[in-house]
Amino acid sequence: MLRILYVNDFHGFAEPHKPFGSDEVLGGIAYLSSRVNALRSEKPSILLAAGDMIQGDNWATMTTGASVIELMNLMRFDAMVVGNHEFDFGQDVLRKRIAEAEFPVLGANIQGLDALRPYVIKDIGGIKAGIIGVVTEETPVTTHPRNVTGLTFLPQETTVTRYIQEISPGTDVIIVLSHIGHQADRVLAAHVEGINIIVGGHSHTRIDSPVLAGKTILLQAWEHAKALGVLDITMEDGKIVKSEGHLEIISPEPGTEDRDVSFLVEKYRKKIDAVLSETIGETDVDLDGENVRRRETNLGNLIADIMRETSGADMALINGGGIRTSIGKGALTVQNIYSVLPFDNYLVAVRLSGKQIKGALEHGVSAIEEGAGRFPQVSGISFSYVRSAQPGSRVRDIIIRGKQMEPDREYHVATNDFLAAGGDGYGAFGEALKSSKDFSLVGGVMTGEKLVYNDSSRWIRDVVIEYIKDKCRISPLTEGRIREIP
């Protein structure tokens, strides 16, 4: 018998927290670790992480992920696959984190980063488990392009097929540790033979009971240490004859935590608090970062408004995926804003034609069904879209600064340098910039005649902090900037 314990999309959420719209406190890595210890003691077990571990909440971001690797070493993880956000601090930092890890870090479909291993074979209680790691091929557009310079992301299906053929003779069970999303896991299971189990991540999917896709067991454990996945398999004659699994929802019950892990969490929390505890203002309303990939939110409006006003642009467009959490009403601290905007992005404004703006909006709403991070949050513009229409033909009624958009007119559009470089697939910005005769990108800093505002000296989160300090009190609303037509 083999027990597989798994987490995904931790994003550094080490402390218990209330998800947006809920009064229930969930998570807390010290409590999850305690459950890992108890479950491990019952039978031969393996602990796996399906990516996006080292970046996100301040607890991780302020140390560029070093705190998370120390945590994972303490918890004795057996393997992890890199997620797209493992690249957010750049390749040099990622190499340091991999070197610090006392477990293999996998990435079979990545060429150019030799520190990653394609697979590992673990002998657990006499069962040899071959674990192959793959990350989404969309990584180059879901992290800043500069973070993946020189890397190639190979097709997942051909990569997994290749390594199954290589390791099958010496293994009893094949596990794919995947950071490609649940729907992509289903496709992978349908197209590649020989996968026994896929432990997935990337889509933050809550799979309470294992899903069977053909002969492949699909798993995923929600997000942010709010759940621990458990799968027990029984094998006879080299085959899985029985499998039982579930998610354990993690609730912080005082006295049940892993004390060593709790000490580590507290150590880094104190360091962060010393830097980020300053109160900068107050919000009279809850700030919604939960729904930024699905609809207009007041938090998205706030950030986009600040960017438009600061840059003097006609409008602003940002990707919802860049907004990482919500804030409850009440006092606002530096830490709150750093949690919402953990990425090192700076503010730019680009000249785009009305036609290019429409193309950007079409891209933004093209994958709303998937909850893709490209969904736009906007300022100075309103539009409607038809969800049932084909992607690329959904957007209607574009109004900029109170007037109908003109396709051939140029507008100044505020955004972040990630989107301006083509991140999240926003090609309109990259096309406009590269049409500049004097365009250049050196050390992550862009120049060119199409740039009408370019402040690489401070991060957007710091711009937001300064704005809130000046206003003291905020109460942003949703205003019908983005309207869905049934």
Side-chain angles (χ1 to χ4, degrees):
M1 178 173 282
L2 170 63
R3 171 166 284 170
I4 300 170
L5 305 171
Y6 56 95
V7 297
N8 55 273
D9 299 289
F10 172 53
H11 286 290
F13 281 80
E15 298 186 86
H17 56 283
K18 289 182 181 179
F20 181 79
S22 173
D23 291 328
E24 185 181 9
V25 178
L26 295 175
I29 196 66
Y31 300 94
L32 186 145
S33 181
S34 180
R35 289 302 300 146
V36 168
N37 294 338
L39 291 163
R40 249 184 188 150
S41 68
E42 296 175 353
K43 61 191 66 175
S45 301
I46 189 170
L47 177 60
L48 303 175
D52 279 4
M53 297 295 289
I54 71 170
Q55 182 278 346
D57 188 72
N58 293 321
W59 194 87
T61 303
M62 295 295 287
T63 66
T64 60
S67 57
V68 177
I69 297 301
E70 186 175 347
L71 166 72
M72 295 178 72
N73 288 340
L74 183 61
M75 291 178 63
R76 295 181 291 118
F77 271 79
D78 291 286
M80 74 169 277
V81 63
V82 286
N84 51 300
H85 287 298
E86 258 69 66
F87 292 88
D88 285 345
F89 303 120
Q91 292 179 45
D92 289 343
V93 171
L94 180 54
R95 287 188 181 93
K96 289 180 181 177
R97 301 292 87 86
I98 294 171
E100 291 162 359
E102 296 170 2
F103 49 86
V105 181
L106 310 180
N109 62 326
I110 301 171
Q111 287 185 337
L113 189 58
D114 293 341
L116 295 172
R117 295 170 60 176
Y119 63 83
V120 63
I121 298 174
K122 306 284 287 189
D123 190 325
I124 309 104
I127 296 175
K128 291 185 178 179
I131 306 163
I132 303 167
V134 289
V135 65
T136 174
E137 297 166 46
E138 297 179 352
T139 297
V141 297
T142 54
T143 187
H144 198 292
R146 67 171 175 261
N147 295 332
V148 292
T149 301
L151 303 183
T152 302
F153 292 79
L154 302 174
Q156 297 133 195
E157 293 178 17
T158 54
T159 299
V160 172
T161 299
R162 170 190 170 188
Y163 286 109
I164 286 177
Q165 293 171 349
E166 182 173 324
I167 70 176
S168 284
T171 57
D172 301 306
V173 59
I174 298 290
I175 301 170
V176 173
L177 196 52
S178 146
H179 194 83
I180 63 177
H182 180 61
Q183 291 304 317
D185 286 341
R186 286 181 174 273
V187 173
L188 184 65
H191 291 181
V192 179
E193 293 185 3
I195 306 174
N196 299 114
I197 300 162
I198 298 179
V199 177
H202 188 49
S203 56
H204 296 230
T205 306
R206 177 174 172 171
I207 301 179
D208 290 289
S209 299
V211 173
L212 198 61
K215 297 180 180 179
T216 303
I217 300 168
L218 303 183
L219 310 169
Q220 196 167 150
W222 203 8
E223 64 183 3
H224 303 168
K226 293 186 290 191
L228 171 66
V230 184
L231 178 73
D232 292 333
I233 60 172
T234 302
M235 302 195 66
E236 292 181 5
D237 300 324
K239 295 182 179 180
I240 298 175
V241 296
K242 183 180 179 182
S243 65
E244 294 179 326
H246 64 281
L247 290 189
E248 294 208 356
I249 303 304
I250 302 301
S251 297
E253 298 180 15
T256 65
E257 68 271 23
D258 180 325
R259 291 186 178 182
D260 291 338
V261 170
S262 183
F263 177 81
L264 179 65
V265 171
E266 180 70 8
K267 179 181 76 170
Y268 283 105
R269 187 186 66 79
K270 286 180 178 178
K271 291 180 179 180
I272 293 165
D273 284 352
V275 177
L276 303 180
S277 60
E278 179 189 357
T279 298
I280 58 172
E282 190 165 349
T283 173
D284 294 326
V285 295
D286 291 337
L287 302 177
D288 180 7
E290 182 75 15
N291 296 296
V292 289
R293 297 168 181 248
R294 293 184 286 273
R295 58 177 181 262
E296 174 192 352
T297 75
N298 63 348
L299 182 54
N301 286 353
L302 173 69
I303 295 168
D305 284 347
I306 293 170
M307 293 172 65
R308 177 178 58 80
E309 292 175 22
T310 301
S311 65
D314 298 306
M315 58 165 286
L317 186 156
I318 55 176
N319 55 318
I323 299 171
R324 302 306 290 188
T325 191
S326 303
I327 306 174
K329 65 181 178 181
L332 292 169
T333 65
V334 173
Q335 181 164 350
N336 292 141
I337 307 305
Y338 272 54
S339 293
V340 166
L341 297 169
F343 302 108
D344 289 345
N345 293 136
Y346 61 87
L347 175 58
V348 299
V350 183
R351 287 207 300 257
L352 293 185
S353 69
K355 183 178 179 181
Q356 288 172 319
I357 291 169
K358 183 177 186 297
L361 295 174
E362 289 284 8
H363 176 71
V365 298
S366 64
I368 186 173
E369 299 86 354
E370 303 169 15
R374 71 187 71 161
F375 187 84
Q377 299 290 322
V378 298
S379 174
I381 182 172
S382 65
F383 68 96
S384 58
Y385 70 96
V386 182
R387 182 196 285 253
S388 60
Q390 287 294 314
S393 303
R394 293 179 168 179
V395 174
R396 309 280 192 274
D397 306 319
I398 304 173
I399 305 295
I400 299 178
R401 303 296 289 267
K403 296 181 179 180
Q404 197 77 31
M405 186 200 72
E406 300 175 36
D408 297 324
R409 178 181 169 182
E410 275 196 334
Y411 299 87
H412 295 180
V413 183
T415 189
N416 57 55
D417 66 305
F418 169 59
L419 295 196
D424 255 347
Y426 274 93
F429 291 103
E431 290 167 9
L433 284 170
K434 289 174 184 176
S435 70
S436 301
K437 294 178 182 179
D438 59 344
F439 172 73
S440 69
L441 177 60
V442 179
V445 178
M446 290 176 285
T447 58
E449 63 178 358
K450 290 287 185 178
L451 278 173
V452 294
Y453 185 91
N454 185 20
D455 184 3
S456 61
S457 66
R458 55 183 182 160
W459 304 130
I460 290 172
R461 56 178 171 257
D462 296 317
V463 175
V464 172
I465 287 168
E466 290 174 19
Y467 176 92
I468 294 173
K469 281 183 175 181
D470 182 61
K471 296 294 182 183
C472 296
R473 200 175 196 94
I474 58 171
S475 53
L477 305 171
T478 54
E479 303 171 338
R481 299 178 186 184
I482 304 173
R483 303 178 304 278
E484 180 180 342
I485 300 173

